[in-house]
Amino acid sequence: MDPALNPFKPGSGLRPPALEGRDREREEFDLLVARSKAGNYDRGMVLSGLRGVGKTTLLNTLAEHAERQGWLAINIEARPNEAGIAAVRARLGYELAVGLRRFSRKHQLHKVIDDLVSLARGFTLGVGLGPAKIELALGGRAASGDIDLDLEELVEAISDVMRKKGAAFGLFIDEMQDLDPDLLGALLAVQHRASQREWPFFVIGAGLPSLPAVLADSRSYAERQFSYRTIGPLSPADAADALRVPVEAHGGAFTPDALEIVVEASGGYPYFLQEFGKAIWHTAPASPFDSEDAHLAVEEGRRALDDGFFPSRWTRATDRERRYLRAIAETGEPTPRSGKVAAGMGVATTAVSDVRDSAIKKGLIWSPEHGRIAFTVPGMADFIRRQPTA
Ligand SMILES: Nc1ncnc2c1ncn2[C@@H]1O[C@H](COP(=O)(O)OP(=O)(O)OP(=O)(O)O)[C@@H](O)[C@H]1O
Ligand SMILES: [Mg+2]
């Protein structure tokens, strides 16, 4: 098949040729947007799931929808570690300034928005400098340097303008489990206040399966603050559509057997579907794609995953973390007890609790329930078992 026309896109947050199986989340969000237009404010949403399952793609789709419906939609991606914290805060201020300008052009609100833009800028400076006071050219208003107060003031001022326009302010946060605790706590507090006071402000977050627990640890009321959605693999019918629809759009086809082989091998994981779809387009000499094409494509796709998707996580781990990850894989269980993993390494659970924590912080593993551990990347255990021991 012509490689220039290959529609499949394995990657991070790349818009897939066919976004399948997310109708429920999209409908729920459509309803939130529609109700907000009528001054009826619902809870924000939190999307959580494993790596490569399509969270970023879905989050971006929702943000684009919100913007088309007249919202001020701001996207940021949280990052772990100290350098990430400062970068994310700066990014938030910058994206707000840019988003507000775009909004003002659309609604011809120049004067009001200029004031908000300086407030957004001041917020960034304020949080960057801790408790230092920054005077702003905004009618004597100053960023206090207290992140809770500053964020509340900013959100209130923006919400006020949005309400008058029948619009809303949506903050779309990817990798939300990595937000620094101060900013996260402040955002949850502001979201809480916003719903009490009926400000049109919504946080829409996406992140790893640990995200709901991270939010609940930050603020006890977080559990009631959002509509939580688990983003999982696609059903076999949706997975088949994710492959079939883009191929048919180019006049191609799969035999039923070929489609079944690829769907089955993908486990319904969107990233794997894109990788296998790309491979079958590449390997098949002609359409319709038959079962032999499908077997070859799965082999080529797996090689591509072994060269990119898995190593990009594996190489991020330290030697000790890798030994721990290998011990998890060697239990052969999807969610082994931490005690069993440690026993497999011949040590006490406490002797490896620090590696366990650091691997969790890196987003390599998570704890689905107390005392148990699991990979955040589907298929990671098999990949590790295929790696030669050092
Ligand atoms: N509903 C879907 N149907 C088909 N393909 C999809 C769907 N959602 C996402 N994809 C594709 O799957 C791949 C992974 O998507 P995405 O980057 O959004 O996942 P993610 O959950 O954010 O992963 P990570 O946790 O690594 O950030 C992309 O190539 C994307 O095009
Ligand atoms: Mg993502």
Side-chain angles (χ1 to χ4, degrees), residues 318-388:
T318 62
D319 284 348
R320 274 191 77 219
E321 285 163 355
R322 279 187 208 174
R323 276 201 293 281
Y324 190 71
L325 299 181
R326 188 179 287 277
I328 298 174
E330 276 164 6
T331 64
E333 294 175 23
T335 57
R337 298 207 143 275
S338 309
K340 183 166 186 184
V341 178
M345 301 172 78
V347 297
T349 312
T350 47
V352 282
S353 58
D354 61 327
V355 243
R356 178 180 177 276
D357 290 349
S358 65
I360 288 178
K361 278 215 183 67
K362 283 189 186 168
L364 297 164
I365 52 175
W366 69 294
S367 175
E369 59 180 279
H370 186 71
R372 289 192 182 269
I373 204 79
F375 289 107
T376 56
V377 181
M380 191 72 187
D382 288 333
F383 169 78
I384 292 175
R385 285 192 290 259
R386 286 197 295 276
Q387 299 313 296

Side-chain angles (χ1 to χ4, degrees), residues 7-23 26 48-61 77 174-175 177 206-209 231-232 234 238-239 241-243 246 268-275 309 312-313 316 363 376-378:
F8 294 101
K9 293 182 187 163
S12 173
L14 294 179
R15 184 195 297 275
L19 180 73
E20 298 295 338
R22 303 299 182 217
D23 292 351
R26 293 169 77 180
S48 58
L50 298 178
R51 292 276 170 216
V53 88
K55 303 174 298 291
T56 303
T57 305
L58 181 58
L59 188 71
N60 291 345
T61 306
E77 182 187 327
D174 201 4
E175 302 289 350
Q177 75 282 343
L208 290 177
I231 307 302
L234 303 183
D238 290 330
D241 284 348
L243 293 164
Y269 281 103
Y271 193 100
F272 299 173
L273 285 165
Q274 297 302 319
E275 199 76 89
F309 184 75
S312 69
R313 325 283 168 183
R316 233 187 294 154
T376 56
V377 181

Side-chain angles (χ1 to χ4, degrees), residues 190-201:
V190 174
Q191 172 77 91
H192 191 54
R193 208 144 308 134
S195 45
Q196 287 167 347
R197 299 189 189 162
E198 307 218 306
W199 298 343
F201 169 65

